């Protein structure tokens, strides 16, 4: 049942974002920023964590989950280290995800032949 809920929630998030992309003139980069900020906002008001516990990977894998992780890390960093935690907390909490994206992106560029579009 967990797999089904994760699939449905993740698919619904992706479908909503695709509808927004198709029906607005927003560029994909801006939509990504909106999703991260929305995840951070939902985490700040305490809505995202219960949702993520229910939806599992369906809520934690999309960009909304990344925003929530950044907020949680910043909050913990500020609580532990004060003002400097504002800058360190988000990177500390999301280091594994950011590092893996860079590493796997580099490996993919070695396997495939990346080219700039003309």
């Amino acid at each position: 049942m967990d797999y089904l809920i994760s699939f449905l929630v993740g698919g619904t998030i992706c479908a909503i974002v695709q509808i927004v992309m198709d029906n607005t003139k927003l560029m994909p980069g801006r939509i990504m920023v909106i999703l991260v900020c929305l995840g951070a906002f939902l985490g700040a008001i305490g809505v995202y964590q219960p949702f993520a516990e229910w939806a599992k990977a369906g809520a934690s894998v999309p960009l909304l989950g990344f925003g929530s992780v950044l907020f949680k890390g910043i909050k913990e960093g500020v609580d532990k280290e004060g003002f400097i935690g504002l800058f360190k907390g988000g990177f500390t909490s999301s280091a594994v995800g950011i590092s893996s994206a860079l590493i796997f992106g580099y490996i993919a560029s070695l396997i495939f032949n990346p080219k700039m579009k003309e």
Side-chain angles (χ1 to χ4, degrees):
M1 194 63 169
D2 287 344
Y3 293 123
L4 180 63
I5 292 171
S6 294
F7 176 76
L8 292 175
V9 170
T12 301
I13 291 170
C14 291
I16 290 169
V17 171
Q18 188 64 48
I19 290 168
V20 169
M21 288 177 70
D22 291 344
N23 294 313
T24 66
K25 292 184 180 184
L26 289 172
M27 299 297 289
R30 291 185 180 175
I31 293 173
M32 290 171 61
V33 169
I34 290 169
L35 289 170
V36 171
C37 291
L38 181 62
F41 175 73
L42 292 174
I45 62 173
V47 174
Y48 202 79
Q49 189 60 35
F51 173 65
E53 288 173 4
W54 173 75
K56 310 279 190 272
S60 63
V61 172
L63 286 171
L64 291 169
F66 181 65
S68 177
V69 166
L70 284 176
F71 170 77
K72 189 187 305 183
I74 290 171
K75 183 174 184 287
E76 290 172 2
V78 169
D79 290 343
K80 281 184 185 176
E81 302 181 40
F83 182 73
I84 195 73
L86 183 66
F87 302 101
K88 291 173 60 177
F91 289 116
T92 303
S93 66
S94 60
V96 172
I98 294 170
S99 298
S100 63
L102 291 171
I103 291 167
F104 290 123
Y106 179 72
I107 291 171
S109 74
L110 293 176
I111 296 171
F112 302 100
N113 190 11
K115 296 178 185 162
M116 294 293 292
K117 289 185 178 182
E118 294 181 15

